[in-house]
Amino acid sequence: MIRKHQKQSGFSAVELLITLFIAAAFIGTGYQLYSIIIKDGGNARTRTKAATIAYDNLRRYSATTSDPCVATSSPSPTPTIPSGSGLTNPSISVVISCPFGASSPTSKIQVTVTYGSPQEEVTHALFVNN
């Protein structure tokens, strides 16, 4: 009697190990990409909050500029950061300058919000002509 060898279907141990190694590489790469996306998304959200605070203060001071321009680095009322802003170590500064001289009706308002550790800042500026 002659026996024929029949080829068995399925994976050999080497093929299974290679498949598992490739799957582990894809999972590892996917996790790193996921972590980067989550971190960058959080940074973008924080930067947007700071930009919104700066813009809100900018609009508030644009209505209070005088004609002729009066330069100041501490305008009244004091600039504010909302208590639930979600920013760590926030500070805000508002500077009103006279880019075309003190007799000009044009004022430049610049609002800078600084936050985080290490410090990051968002600056918005606007020219107002009264």
Side-chain angles (χ1 to χ4, degrees):
M1 249 190 179
I2 300 175
R3 287 190 172 186
K4 289 185 173 180
H5 288 293
Q6 290 182 343
K7 189 172 186 178
Q8 294 181 357
S9 61
F11 288 106
S12 70
V14 172
E15 291 171 330
L16 183 60
L17 286 174
I18 291 171
T19 303
L20 290 175
F21 177 74
I22 291 171
F26 277 125
I27 290 171
T29 303
Y31 178 74
Q32 288 177 348
L33 183 60
Y34 173 77
S35 297
I36 290 170
I37 289 170
I38 294 300
K39 180 182 174 196
D40 287 349
N43 291 345
R45 188 177 314 110
T46 303
R47 187 164 186 78
T48 301
K49 287 177 184 179
T52 300
I53 291 168
Y55 184 75
D56 288 345
N57 279 280
L58 182 70
R59 298 304 297 167
R60 186 172 76 177
Y61 286 103
S62 68
T64 63
T65 59
S66 60
D67 181 10
C69 177
V70 176
T72 180
S73 60
S74 55
S76 181
T78 305
T80 59
I81 295 177
S83 59
S85 67
L87 301 177
T88 56
N89 303 326
S91 65
I92 188 167
S93 67
V94 176
V95 176
I96 299 175
S97 61
C98 305
F100 305 112
S103 62
S104 171
T106 303
S107 301
K108 178 185 176 188
I109 306 167
Q110 182 172 323
V111 179
T112 302
V113 175
T114 307
Y115 64 95
S117 179
Q119 292 282 288
E120 294 187 44
E121 70 178 33
V122 173
T123 302
H124 284 294
L126 177 71
F127 288 93
V128 179
N129 190 359
N130 288 328

